[in-house]
């Protein structure tokens, strides 16, 4: 999705804006631009293509240097193709107001018609361009008031950065739904869509809430609601280092984040299991009475987060005996969902900014549900509309393909299932102790599997030319099959489908021949023999099988030499550990196929529009 940055201070704004846009590249974009205020004029350069194209174009525009105020933008096209004209920033008729925008103005065409009637001239096809013209229309020597009047006209979502030649000491930011943060520096201040854009300069962050405007000077930040009333805001200190938002020596963010999983799971376990086995879920904000009265649970999410929710269903139903519906947020929001005041909605989202998930949660809230979110971004939009939040604290996940966020979500879901069961007196004593003991093995097992990465890379080399893949799993590993397939398809562009292995006879077995690679997830489990039967059927039809199984089941090699073993672990926890080899398999196939692993085509890290 789009990214915005803004700077006001004592330094040269241009390099800071460009660096900020580079740190936001992971959000996915197809054009970029900046505008700076210099010699009493707003100067603007914007291009379709990548930041590097913008930078090389700027090199021939020396007159952008040494400005102290500016805004920048990376655009993921929604209204209007990715062209130079449609790139942001956008200007008003006079060129005295410049705006960058992340989000969608739903009523832009009516406003555009009104402004054209009043003589405003438009250049682009974008929804955003109505903004500088509205500010121009309302400007009466008070930029803050003009912006307040303009944004009150808008329907839809926006995070804005605004500058004007008339008030060179001000940088304005406004937020509704799309994320916006403020970075506090010494004699300088920043706005941005996300923390990595400012992390190099400051760790002091203010999260702008929905319906708030920020007015920044180089040494002061004031925040208002959209009626112009002042708001006091908390200053957070970010624990992330710049390094943690960089690649730390790995070739790709995705590989770095795959390797971070043992540490992330260890942190989840150590911070939430006190002493021997006391589970504490800070932020859950659910009284025991509320837990006892939960009639049904609905898990809402998209993509990988949805797959985590599917695993959560097995866990929560098994231990708490509460019925769980896992629903795609994009489906839930347009259905007539059955929700009541005893419904607990668990919303899962790495970014906390996924438009469908936010909309579905708002729908559930309106119908009286209690909202508990599982989220990786502190202070994100999802968190602000939740009654309770369980942070995964996985650190920034930059690679578009979600990896550590997925296993972190699973880790939280295991603890949540145990916690609710315990509160309902359904889990205690020996059983609870043994489950926690088993769960604590996960980080070390993930580390061991990482030790096999070269072996997995060799398996990838043998399979990167297959035209399509099928992933098969059963029970708690049916979602693992779905997730493995999504990882492969989204970064290698090879068609891949996850399926419940028990469904093979109901259709998919027709696909099997020597051109089809089939990944069979067959760890030691109560349905291991069922998976062996599936593998036999596939081999009988010359399917090319890759198996993930548990050490000690070497007999499985009678079907194929391509077996990835995981250390012994209770089958209940196998989804967390099996996700990792499947992530590596997808990663190595994509890299060997020359794909852009961190920024796959057509995808964005956070889908903040429908
Ligand atoms: C996962 O690899 C994908 N990039 C995508 O499916 C993602 O999981 C989905 O868009 C949900 O994102 P969220 O967790 O930030 O809500």
């Amino acid at each position: 999705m789009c990214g915005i940055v803004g700077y006001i201070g004592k330094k040269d704004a241009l390099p800071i804006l460009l660096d900020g846009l580079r740190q936001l590249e992971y959000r996915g974009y197809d054009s970029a631009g900046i505008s700076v205020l210099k010699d009493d004029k707003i100067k603007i350069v914007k291009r379709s293509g990548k930041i590097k194209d913008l930078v090389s174009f700027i090199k021939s525009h020396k007159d952008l240097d040494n400005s102290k105020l500016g805004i920048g933008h990376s655009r993921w096209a929604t209204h209007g193709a990715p062209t130079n004209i449609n790139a942001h920033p956008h200007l008003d008729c006079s060129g005295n107001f410049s705006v960058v925008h992340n989000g969608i103005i739903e009523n832009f065409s009516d406003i555009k018609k009104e402004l054209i009637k009043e003589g405003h001239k438009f250049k682009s096809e974008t929804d955003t361009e109505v903004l500088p013209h509205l500010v121009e229309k309302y400007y009466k020597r008070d930029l803050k008031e003009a912006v307040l009047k303009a944004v009150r006209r808008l329907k839809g979502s926006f995070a804005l950065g605004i500058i004007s030649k008339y008030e060179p000491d001000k940088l304005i930011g406004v937020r509704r739904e799309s994320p916006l943060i403020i970075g506090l520096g010494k004699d300088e201040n920043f706005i941005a869509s996300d923390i990595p854009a400012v992390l190099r300069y400051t760790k002091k962050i203010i999260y702008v809430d929905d319906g708030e405007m920020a007015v920044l000077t180089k040494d002061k930040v004031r925040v208002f609601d959209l009626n112009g009333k002042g708001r006091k805001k908390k200053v957070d200190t970010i624990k992330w280092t710049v390094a943690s938002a960089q690649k730390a020596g790995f070739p790709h963010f995705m590989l770095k984040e795959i390797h971070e999983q043992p540490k992330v799971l260890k942190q989840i376990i150590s911070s939430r299991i006190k002493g021997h086995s006391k589970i504490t879920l800070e932020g859950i904000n659910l009284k025991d009475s509320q837990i006892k009265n939960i009639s049904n649970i609905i898990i809402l999410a998209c993509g990988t987060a949805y797959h985590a929710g599917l695993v959560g269903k097995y866990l929560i139903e098994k231990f708490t005996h509460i019925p769980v519906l896992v629903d795609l947020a994009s489906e839930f929001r347009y259905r007539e969902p059955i929700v009541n005041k005893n419904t607990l909605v668990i919303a899962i989202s790495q970014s906390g900014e996924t438009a469908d998930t936010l909309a579905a949660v708002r729908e559930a809230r309106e119908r009286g549900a209690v909202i508990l979110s599982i989220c990786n971004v502190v202070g994100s939009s999802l968190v602000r509309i939740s009654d309770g939040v369980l942070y995964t604290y996985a650190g920034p996940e930059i690679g578009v393909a979600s990896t550590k966020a997925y296993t972190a979500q699973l880790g939280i879901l295991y603890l949540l299932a145990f916690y609710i069961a315990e509160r309902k007196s359904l889990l205690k004593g020996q059983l609870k102790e043994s489950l926690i003991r088993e769960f604590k093995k996960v980080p070390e097992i993930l580390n061991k599997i990482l030790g096999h990465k070269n072996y997995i890379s060799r398996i990838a080399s043998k399979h990167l030319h297959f035209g399509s893949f099928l992933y098969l799993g059963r029970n708690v590993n049916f979602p693992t099959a779905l997730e493995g397939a999504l990882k492969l398809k989204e970064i290698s562009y090879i068609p891949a489908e996850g399926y419940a292995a028990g469904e093979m006879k109901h259709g998919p077995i027709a696909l099997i021949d020597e051109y089809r690679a089939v990944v069979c997830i067959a760890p030691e489990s109560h349905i291991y023999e069922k998976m062996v039967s599936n593998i036999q059927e596939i081999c009988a039809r010359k399917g090319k099988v890759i198996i993930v199984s548990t050490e000690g089941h070497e007999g499985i090699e009678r079907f194929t030499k391509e077996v990835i073993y995981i250390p012994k672990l209770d089958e209940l926890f196998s989804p967390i550990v099996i996700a990792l080899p499947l992530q590596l398999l997808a990663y190595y196939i994509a890299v060997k196929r020359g794909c852009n692993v961190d920024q796959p085509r057509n995808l964005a890290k956070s889908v903040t529009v429908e």
Side-chain angles (χ1 to χ4, degrees):
M1 201 41 240
C2 303
I4 67 173
V5 292
Y7 176 79
I8 186 162
K10 59 184 187 305
K11 295 183 195 129
D12 181 355
L14 183 62
I16 292 172
L17 296 172
L18 293 172
D19 174 56
L21 291 179
R22 279 189 205 95
Q23 302 307 326
L24 296 181
E25 283 195 286
Y26 70 85
R27 298 167 66 84
Y29 69 104
D30 38 46
S31 61
I34 52 102
S35 60
V36 295
L37 182 66
K38 191 170 166 214
D39 308 331
D40 201 25
K41 264 177 75 53
I42 289 183
K43 307 197 178 225
I44 186 167
V45 177
K46 52 186 189 171
R47 315 287 298 165
S48 62
K50 293 297 183 190
I51 306 273
K52 58 181 173 29
D53 308 316
L54 179 70
V55 169
S56 44
F57 188 81
I58 284 175
K59 282 209 172 59
S60 52
H61 286 68
K62 273 282 159 241
D63 62 348
L64 297 178
D65 292 337
N66 299 320
S67 156
K68 307 296 179 220
L69 171 67
I71 49 178
H73 188 267
S74 53
R75 178 175 182 251
W76 193 53
T78 48
H79 293 78
T83 61
N84 295 352
I85 293 285
N86 287 334
H88 300 205
H90 288 286
L91 299 172
D92 67 309
C93 306
S94 66
N96 295 324
F97 300 95
S98 179
V99 177
V100 288
H101 165 226
N102 174 22
I104 290 188
I105 308 297
E106 291 172 1
N107 60 334
F108 85 96
S109 44
D110 294 344
I111 295 175
K112 188 166 178 176
K113 281 193 203 106
E114 171 199 315
L115 290 166
I116 288 170
K117 260 204 213 113
E118 292 168 3
H120 290 263
K121 301 272 178 284
F122 284 81
K123 296 190 179 113
S124 80
E125 308 154 273
T126 67
D127 53 334
T128 305
E129 195 183 358
V130 298
L131 275 154
H133 290 280
L134 275 176
V135 176
E136 176 191 20
K137 168 181 171 143
Y138 293 126
Y139 186 72
K140 305 272 180 294
R141 288 184 298 288
D142 184 331
L143 184 59
K144 173 180 160 248
E145 283 311 312
V147 171
L148 284 173
K149 283 203 179 91
V151 296
R152 281 187 207 122
R153 296 284 311 277
L154 306 180
K155 288 197 180 71
S157 60
F158 47 85
L160 304 175
I162 300 161
I163 60 173
S164 167
K165 79 157 222 183
Y166 297 121
E167 301 190 22
D169 63 337
K170 283 193 191 66
L171 166 63
I172 290 193
V174 193
R175 175 201 173 145
R176 184 194 291 157
E177 292 178 17
S178 297
L180 189 69
I181 57 113
I182 297 165
L184 303 173
K186 192 170 170 358
D187 295 334
E188 59 184 11
N189 289 305
F190 310 75
I191 58 170
S193 298
D194 198 357
I195 291 166
V198 304
L199 207 50
R200 183 163 293 177
Y201 310 100
T202 176
K203 293 185 188 289
K204 295 210 166 309
I205 301 291
I206 291 175
Y207 293 97
V208 182
D209 276 310
D210 267 359
E212 287 185 340
M213 161 201 266
V215 180
L216 289 72
T217 63
K218 72 175 174 49
D219 42 27
K220 196 168 175 213
V221 172
R222 291 171 298 150
V223 177
F224 307 88
D225 66 19
L226 296 190
N227 298 316
K229 190 162 163 296
R231 287 238 172 119
K232 267 189 83 48
K233 300 292 286 179
K234 190 162 78 73
V235 178
D236 282 75
T237 303
I238 293 303
K239 302 243 179 339
W240 297 350
T241 61
V242 173
S244 67
Q246 302 302 336
K247 294 179 200 166
F250 287 94
H252 300 100
F253 281 113
M254 184 177 174
L255 191 59
K256 168 176 169 275
E257 288 148 12
I258 288 173
H259 279 74
E260 290 176 342
Q261 292 179 108
K263 183 185 68 176
V264 169
L265 266 297
K266 194 172 176 55
Q267 183 270 338
I268 285 174
I269 290 167
S270 59
S271 63
R272 290 186 176 85
I273 299 176
K274 301 297 177 211
H276 212 45
S277 60
K278 180 166 175 30
I279 300 171
T280 60
L281 294 182
E282 171 230 351
I284 189 168
N285 199 19
L286 275 179
K287 297 189 197 70
D288 284 0
S289 56
Q290 284 178 287
I291 289 177
K292 290 194 174 72
N293 290 331
I294 296 171
S295 59
N296 65 311
I297 290 176
I298 299 175
I299 298 178
L300 298 174
C302 302
T304 286
Y306 169 74
H307 299 151
L310 290 173
V311 177
K313 172 184 170 72
Y314 287 93
L315 308 173
I316 294 170
E317 288 187 339
K318 176 183 176 72
F319 292 103
T320 74
H321 307 160
I322 300 171
V324 178
L325 165 72
V326 188
D327 210 347
L328 287 167
S330 54
E331 286 299 306
F332 178 88
R333 66 183 288 196
Y334 294 114
R335 283 199 295 105
E336 287 303 325
I338 313 295
V339 177
N340 61 54
K341 65 177 178 28
N342 293 323
T343 300
L344 173 66
V345 161
I346 301 172
I348 307 174
S349 173
Q350 187 283 130
S351 63
E353 300 299 345
T354 299
D356 284 323
T357 306
L358 294 174
V361 166
R362 289 193 182 97
E363 177 69 28
R365 261 190 101 77
E366 265 160 43
R367 293 169 182 260
V370 174
I371 312 295
L372 174 64
S373 57
I374 297 175
C375 190
N376 192 42
V377 179
V378 172
S380 59
S381 301
L382 175 63
V383 170
R384 289 182 170 75
I385 58 173
S386 300
D387 300 296
V389 57
L390 300 176
Y391 282 117
T392 47
Y393 292 126
E397 186 176 72
I398 310 294
V400 164
S402 192
T403 51
K404 63 177 181 175
Y406 175 66
T407 48
Q409 288 158 4
L410 293 182
I412 295 290
L413 284 163
Y414 281 91
L415 292 172
L416 179 60
F418 300 159
Y419 179 88
I420 293 175
E422 191 182 33
R423 288 284 172 292
K424 294 185 67 177
S425 315
L426 294 171
L427 179 65
K428 50 184 181 284
Q430 257 311 309
L431 174 60
K432 180 189 166 192
E433 304 280 324
S434 63
L435 284 168
I436 297 292
R437 203 172 29 253
E438 202 68 6
F439 188 31
K440 286 181 175 177
K441 292 177 186 170
V442 164
E444 192 34 46
I445 286 178
L446 288 170
N447 255 328
K448 283 202 181 120
I449 296 170
L450 281 170
H452 304 322
K453 64 185 175 193
N454 293 335
Y455 173 68
I456 296 170
S457 173
R458 287 196 295 277
I459 291 182
S461 301
K462 295 180 194 166
H463 295 83
L464 68 140
H465 300 302
F466 276 85
S468 68
F469 277 68
L470 198 55
Y471 285 70
L472 301 179
R474 287 177 179 257
N475 194 263
V476 282
N477 283 306
F478 164 40
T480 310
L482 297 175
E483 175 56 14
L486 175 60
K487 283 292 96 50
L488 182 72
K489 76 178 84 167
E490 71 173 323
I491 60 174
S492 72
Y493 318 139
I494 300 174
E497 203 172 355
Y499 241 95
E503 276 293 288
M504 278 300 275
K505 284 196 173 62
H506 303 285
I509 198 156
L511 293 169
I512 304 304
D513 57 26
E514 65 270 38
Y515 308 109
R516 172 91 45 183
V518 186
V519 178
C520 296
I521 300 159
E524 186 173 287
S525 80
H526 69 290
I527 36 135
Y528 174 73
E529 290 310 326
K530 299 286 176 209
M531 280 307 297
V532 172
S533 312
N534 287 119
I535 293 166
Q536 271 163 336
E537 287 163 7
I538 293 158
C539 293
R541 291 160 180 81
K542 299 194 177 54
K544 190 83 179 65
V545 171
I546 300 171
I547 299 172
V548 181
S549 190
T550 307
E551 288 165 358
H553 285 261
E554 279 66 23
I556 201 88
E557 291 180 26
R558 64 185 183 281
F559 299 111
T560 174
K561 284 283 161 269
E562 322 299 352
V563 182
I564 301 168
Y565 288 107
I566 60 167
K568 278 191 175 310
L569 180 70
D570 184 302
E571 66 174 287
L572 184 78
F573 297 100
S574 57
I576 297 192
V577 297
I578 294 176
L580 194 148
L582 299 186
Q583 292 161 359
L584 285 173
L585 182 65
Y587 170 80
Y588 287 122
I589 287 177
V591 167
K592 294 168 194 290
R593 286 171 65 102
C595 298
N596 182 343
V597 170
D598 281 335
Q599 295 172 32
R601 67 186 181 196
N602 310 335
L603 289 178
K605 179 61 186 171
S606 174
V607 185
T608 56
V609 290
E610 270 196 77

